[in-house]
Amino acid sequence: MKSIDNQFFQTHLQGVDVSLDSQILDTYGRDWTHLREPAPSAVLFPRDTDQVQQIVHQAREHGFAIVPSGGRTGLSGGAVAADGEWVVSLEKMRTMGEVNITESCVDVEAGVVTATIQQAAGHSGLFYGVDFASAGSSQIGGNIATNAGGIRVLRYGLTRDQILGLTAVTGTGELLALNQGLIKNATGYDLRHLLIGSEGTLAIITGATLKLWPKPPLRDVLLLGLPDHQAVMPLFASASHSFKLSAFEFFSQACVEHVCTHAGLQPPLDQPASYYALLELDQVDEPLMLDWFEQAMDSGWIEDGVISQSHEQSQQLWAYRERISESIAPRKPYKNDIAVRVGSVPALLEQLDELVKQHYPDFEVLWYGHIGDGNLHLNVLKPDTMALDTFKSQCEQVNELVFAAVQNHLGSISAEHGVGLLKQPWLNFSRSAAEIELMRCIKRQFDPDGILNPGKLLSG
Ligand SMILES: Cc1cc2nc3c(=O)[nH]c(=O)nc-3n(C[C@H](O)[C@H](O)[C@H](O)COP(=O)(O)OP(=O)(O)OC[C@H]3O[C@@H](n4cnc5c(N)ncnc54)[C@H](O)[C@@H]3O)c2cc1C
């Protein structure tokens, strides 16, 4: 690792806030994965795009790699700095424009926290469509860099679908202003979409123009107990034909037990079910809802269920799904975030269930996910007595089998968390050799010296 001191930054990056404090290096060098020890050489906090450009120029000139850093809630190690990099945190770039009511959009700097955008949209009578459990900490720059999904993709799409414009600084320090809020723009390659989901490997995102939606109508939330996972797809098909769904989530009884223990909640139903589906939908008349509920019971898709009667109850029901990640975090879960076409979910679930029983007989395995868009999270919990490295290498061996099953269904090894460091060795299960080579060519154009997030997404 190259040595670096305050004098260097005072000489070359005057005016940029820099920290070399060991605790700060440790904090900003990791994300939620905690599977690699951090070792950055500095943490830099630019206050504007001009400072971001200066940082890139200096990193390039002095041969330092950069790890762009948002809220560090990432689940694939994308924001981990373990090799003397400069962490560039966007957290001091938090300016947000007035909500533009005429065009239903808002301009934000990259460091604005996702929940702040949701709140600002709400105060103006509009709605920001992306939401997930880490929205209180994640930043819009990180959401764009990972093309974050979350709980309402069914209705509003991914982060990609919210981006009307983007500003970003490439690995040569060039500032790009892409699409500039336009709805129509047929002038060739849309570089905005190349940067969305690029995981900090092509450019540092400095700001965005975000699409906002009309305020949603009142909504019902249903928490339903399912006898087995075979019931989930017929239930989804029936619900999506009967209602205007905004979310259809899935989780196992083991998840409910962890949440109840962690958050001190009572079980949601009188009798535990094997699996649960959580549905959010535009409110419908009670008789219509009860009819559907009875039909679902008669079909054997559900055993029991509750329907929210107020906003507070909706939030209480959502807690069983939204608090899963935090409740299992102390067990250092090994996470798989896979996706297939919705129609292939039952077959994949069947196959993975067998694989899990065969290869993880001693591990606790949890299923949950945004199953309405084909996205499953398979979480394996580390036994307390097992060393982290042993656990990780056992999970990585099983990855080959899990990803081969996903590949057979033409699915994705990373639905929404990104590839980062953790999924990088398996990228070829989802992308052809030709695609990966094209991705490398694109990377060379944006970042000829390979200083932006090296080793993430593409191997070094
Ligand atoms: C409890 C919990 C629940 C979650 N639920 C979901 C979910 O439902 N759906 C979902 O999609 N994700 C989910 N996540 C994952 C995570 O919150 C998202 O990936 C989020 O988008 C990361 O944002 P961040 O600001 O924390 O980014 P970070 O973790 O800081 O960074 C993520 C990646 O983006 C890059 N990056 C960050 N900022 C920039 C920038 N300005 N320019 C260029 N690159 C940048 C980093 O280098 C890294 O590669 C969850 C995480 C947790 C902890």
Side-chain angles (χ1 to χ4, degrees):
M1 191 197 295
K2 285 189 206 168
S3 73
I4 192 133
D5 57 19
N6 271 319
Q7 185 60 44
F8 174 90
F9 290 107
Q10 275 162 20
T11 310
H12 297 286
L13 281 167
Q14 234 178 19
V16 177
D17 293 343
V18 178
S19 178
L20 304 181
D21 177 88
S22 61
Q23 218 171 338
I24 301 282
L25 295 180
D26 189 78
T27 304
Y28 284 81
R30 37 174 116 235
D31 64 7
W32 250 61
T33 51
H34 289 263
L35 290 172
R36 286 282 293 274
E37 277 310 304
S41 59
V43 185
L44 290 84
F45 299 94
R47 289 180 183 272
D48 55 34
T49 298
D50 187 52
Q51 290 195 344
V52 174
Q53 286 181 281
Q54 286 178 42
I55 290 169
V56 172
H57 287 308
Q58 290 304 323
R60 206 176 172 206
E61 190 174 329
H62 296 279
F64 281 92
I66 285 176
V67 176
S69 177
R72 301 182 314 283
T73 65
L75 298 173
S76 67
V80 169
D83 202 15
E85 305 93 332
W86 291 357
V87 173
V88 176
S89 165
L90 279 292
E91 73 178 33
K92 292 197 173 165
M93 291 180 59
R94 292 211 161 145
T95 308
M96 196 169 168
E98 291 283 310
V99 168
N100 182 332
I101 302 288
T102 313
E103 298 181 9
S104 294
C105 64
V106 64
D107 291 331
V108 293
E109 282 192 314
V112 175
V113 169
T114 318
T116 309
I117 299 165
Q118 296 167 344
Q119 284 151 15
H123 290 146
S124 302
L126 293 170
F127 186 73
Y128 181 60
V130 176
D131 193 17
F132 37 76
S134 53
S137 311
S138 79
Q139 298 173 9
I140 190 66
N143 299 166
I144 296 169
T146 54
N147 188 23
I151 55 179
R152 296 201 177 86
V153 172
L154 274 181
R155 179 70 68 88
Y156 301 103
L158 299 152
T159 297
R160 180 182 301 287
D161 302 298
Q162 326 301 320
I163 309 299
L164 296 169
L166 207 56
T167 55
V169 173
T170 68
T172 60
E174 192 87 39
L175 175 63
L176 300 176
L178 305 171
N179 201 57
Q180 323 224 48
L182 297 173
I183 294 169
K184 288 189 164 183
N185 182 5
T187 53
Y189 309 137
D190 194 336
L191 301 180
R192 162 186 53 155
H193 285 295
L194 209 46
L195 297 192
I196 299 167
S198 64
E199 301 187 37
T201 62
L202 299 181
I204 303 177
I205 293 155
T206 55
T209 304
L210 304 175
K211 176 187 169 106
L212 302 176
W213 299 78
K215 193 175 170 204
L218 289 175
R219 282 172 168 166
D220 288 323
V221 173
L222 279 66
L223 185 66
L224 307 173
L226 278 56
D228 47 43
H229 62 64
Q230 284 88 349
V232 71
M233 276 301 133
L235 186 73
F236 172 66
S238 170
S240 58
H241 294 139
S242 307
F243 306 123
K244 274 188 147 181
L245 286 178
S246 43
F248 189 96
E249 299 284 315
F250 166 81
F251 43 97
S252 60
Q253 167 63 12
C255 298
V256 168
E257 284 167 18
H258 279 278
V259 171
C260 288
T261 308
H262 171 79
L265 301 180
Q266 290 302 310
L269 304 178
D270 290 341
Q271 294 299 321
S274 299
Y275 294 93
Y276 297 82
L278 184 144
L279 286 64
E280 185 187 74
L281 43 102
D282 290 3
Q283 206 165 61
V284 292
D285 291 341
E286 204 173 309
L288 185 72
M289 172 62 74
L290 292 177
D291 260 9
W292 180 84
F293 195 86
E294 267 175 37
Q295 227 178 44
M297 293 275 277
D298 292 346
S299 307
W301 302 327
I302 62 175
E303 291 170 327
D304 195 2
V306 281
I307 304 173
S308 64
Q309 301 298 320
S310 65
H311 179 64
E312 287 67 37
Q313 279 184 13
S314 297
Q315 287 183 317
Q316 282 161 15
L317 294 180
W318 263 115
Y320 293 104
R321 167 64 185 91
E322 287 283 74
R323 300 194 70 173
I324 299 171
S325 273
E326 66 175 70
S327 70
I328 59 175
R331 294 284 302 278
K332 302 218 164 45
Y334 190 88
K335 287 175 176 286
N336 270 310
D337 164 42
I338 51 187
V340 289
R341 287 176 64 161
V342 172
S344 302
V345 167
L348 180 73
L349 260 173
E350 200 75 51
Q351 267 172 293
L352 294 187
D353 209 37
E354 272 310 305
L355 271 179
V356 160
K357 278 185 197 139
Q358 222 178 317
H359 296 278
Y360 290 132
D362 305 325
F363 291 176
E364 191 181 351
V365 175
L366 304 185
W367 288 104
Y368 58 97
H370 314 294
I371 205 157
D373 44 65
N375 180 186
L376 278 168
H377 298 315
L378 167 63
N379 280 249
V380 187
L381 304 193
K382 188 180 85 58
D384 287 338
T385 50
M386 187 177 271
L388 189 57
D389 281 350
T390 316
F391 170 67
K392 195 171 154 252
S393 78
Q394 288 200 16
C395 293
E396 285 175 353
Q397 283 165 29
V398 184
N399 265 355
E400 298 280 331
L401 305 169
V402 170
F403 292 156
V406 171
Q407 189 178 32
N408 276 337
H409 290 284
L410 309 178
S412 172
I413 61 151
S414 178
E416 59 175 12
H417 294 163
V419 174
L421 273 180
L422 299 190
K423 300 295 178 299
Q424 189 277 319
W426 296 280
L427 185 61
N428 62 323
F429 281 82
S430 282
R431 296 300 194 103
S432 69
E435 275 184 289
I436 293 174
E437 188 44 37
L438 276 173
M439 284 159 77
R440 285 189 189 287
C441 293
I442 291 166
K443 162 91 175 156
R444 280 197 288 275
Q445 293 304 311
F446 275 84
D447 179 26
D449 298 324
I451 60 168
L452 292 180
N453 231 356
K456 317 288 172 55
L457 176 58
L458 297 167
S459 57

